[in-house]
Amino acid sequence: MSYRFGLIGYPIKHSLSPWIHGNFLHMAGLLGSYSLYEINTQDSFTEQLKVLRKDKLDGFNITAPYKQKIIPFLDGIDKEAEAIGAVNTVVNTNGKWIGYNTDGIGYLRSLMNAYPFDLQDKSKRILIFGAGGAARAILYTLSKNGFNYIDIANRTEDKAKELKLQYELSKTSLLSLQEAEQHLEEYDLIVQTTSIGMNSTQDSAIVSINDKLSNKNIVSDIIYQPVSTRLLRDALNVGARIHYGHTMLLYQAQYAFELWTNKQVKVDEMENKLLEQLEG
Ligand code: ATR
């Protein structure tokens, strides 16, 4: 058989997903294709999804701005995606669209791959910057995997409060960005999920890194364009260990591919190739 996958979102012309899944298909020895379905925000979403239904894809990904909007159109939703409130992968099971979220697991896999020994200890202290969709997925997965000491720093405190309540995070403290900045070195892992560091904010970081940080701290940024954000560069300069966002991109795709094909591909060897794509 030949698999047919796709991606919906806007804008997606420069998406690396066709390249990533093309490689996965090749590595798994499978035939297939991965097409882009760019849905302009002015178009009728309902009408565009009818087109997608007719195309009978085996599975597809959903990216911004449709990860929430897709939910009412599904025939079923996995409990993790439901708790996160966003779907980035749909599996077509005998004509039924079942929604999943691979971001949290993708993040955890990429982190475990980079720092397997550090993360065996579930009492590690974690700080997450942000309380949007990506933060929700990461926070949910980390807490479900036994990490209890997770604090949240967000510009808008109410959004962080909502997350703490929804996920019943009794040990979680909510910090302002300024408070977080003053206590960075107390965290074993710092996870940056906001958009600060991308595009027009490439010269900025969500907080200033100081030299109290050392190789005891891991600083992780989920932004992958640019690959090396200001935050990661500053963290490297003071001797902290870092974790790059492009690895999460690969592992969330790996998990989606598994859901579609039941095959696990090894992604380590693709990390450098992806870097070339991103930097080239
Ligand atoms: P995503 O799905 O990528 O997580 P999102 O749901 O729009 O995107 O969330 C964006 C995150 O970046 C939020 O935590 C947001 O903070 P607020 O909750 O205060 O809006 C954060 N963010 C975006 N721009 C920011 C800025 N200029 N300063 C600080 N935080 C910012």
Side-chain angles (χ1 to χ4, degrees):
M1 86 176 260
S2 183
Y3 283 100
R4 289 168 60 242
F5 306 131
L7 170 68
I8 64 170
Y10 185 85
I12 52 173
K13 280 198 184 72
H14 301 292
S15 167
L16 286 167
S17 293
W19 180 83
I20 292 174
H21 285 285
N23 273 282
F24 287 175
L25 283 163
H26 180 73
M27 286 157 78
L30 299 172
L31 293 175
S33 61
Y34 188 102
S35 317
L36 297 180
Y37 292 77
E38 191 162 74
I39 304 180
N40 199 300
T41 42
Q42 266 97 56
D43 295 346
S44 157
F45 191 65
T46 311
E47 287 307 311
Q48 295 298 317
L49 285 193
K50 279 187 193 156
V51 173
L52 203 62
R53 279 265 181 201
K54 282 204 190 105
D55 277 0
K56 296 190 176 134
L57 298 180
D58 299 297
F60 59 95
N61 290 127
I62 304 95
T63 189
Y66 302 124
K67 288 186 186 183
Q68 277 130 30
K69 213 169 168 182
I70 187 76
I71 294 175
F73 297 88
L74 301 174
D75 302 301
I77 186 165
D78 155 78
K79 75 171 187 341
E80 181 160 352
E82 190 169 28
I84 293 166
V87 163
N88 76 338
T89 301
V90 164
V91 182
N92 184 344
T93 312
N94 303 319
K96 302 251 183 273
W97 281 0
I98 313 298
Y100 295 84
N101 188 308
T102 70
D103 285 335
I105 290 176
Y107 178 77
L108 188 60
R109 283 186 183 180
S110 72
L111 193 66
M112 289 294 191
N113 182 59
Y115 297 109
F117 300 114
D118 290 74
L119 294 157
Q120 275 167 8
D121 175 3
K122 303 284 163 128
S123 68
K124 292 282 186 192
R125 291 196 62 194
I126 301 174
L127 174 65
I128 298 194
F129 281 105
R136 293 177 73 85
I138 291 171
L139 189 61
Y140 178 84
T141 304
L142 288 176
S143 75
K144 282 288 170 227
N145 279 274
F147 293 97
N148 281 317
Y149 299 96
I150 310 176
D151 293 345
I152 309 169
N154 196 45
R155 176 180 60 179
T156 312
E157 196 190 339
D158 276 355
K159 282 207 215 154
K161 209 180 265 173
E162 217 178 286
L163 265 186
K164 175 177 155 84
L165 274 176
Q166 190 196 338
Y167 294 153
E168 299 173 349
L169 305 170
S170 57
K171 296 192 175 75
T172 293
S173 298
L174 307 180
L175 284 74
S176 68
L177 298 177
Q178 290 78 2
E179 284 165 337
E181 187 170 82
Q182 285 157 16
H183 296 275
L184 284 181
E185 73 280 4
E186 294 167 20
Y187 294 93
D188 301 294
L189 171 67
I190 296 158
V191 190
Q192 197 308 106
T193 75
T194 78
S195 46
I196 301 295
M198 258 192 260
N199 306 326
S200 61
T201 59
Q202 287 207 6
D203 293 330
S204 314
I206 189 78
V207 283
S208 300
I209 296 279
N210 62 65
D211 60 12
K212 288 191 210 143
L213 269 79
S214 67
N215 69 355
K216 292 197 184 80
N217 311 97
I218 298 171
V219 179
S220 170
D221 197 330
I222 68 161
I223 291 174
Y224 57 85
Q225 228 149 10
V227 172
S228 189
T229 58
R230 169 80 192 267
L231 185 80
L232 292 186
R233 292 198 306 272
D234 291 351
L236 258 187
N237 276 338
V238 297
R241 289 175 294 161
I242 61 170
H243 175 241
Y244 289 107
H246 69 275
T247 61
M248 172 181 171
L249 179 68
L250 276 180
Y251 282 91
Q252 63 77 27
Q254 179 198 47
Y255 181 37
F257 190 79
E258 255 164 68
L259 291 170
W260 293 332
T261 65
N262 284 318
K263 297 237 172 175
Q264 189 172 44
V265 284
K266 273 181 76 79
V267 302
D268 307 31
E269 55 211 64
M270 267 184 70
E271 274 182 32
N272 285 335
K273 284 210 275 178
L274 178 61
L275 267 185
E276 283 167 23
Q277 291 285 321
L278 285 165
E279 286 169 341

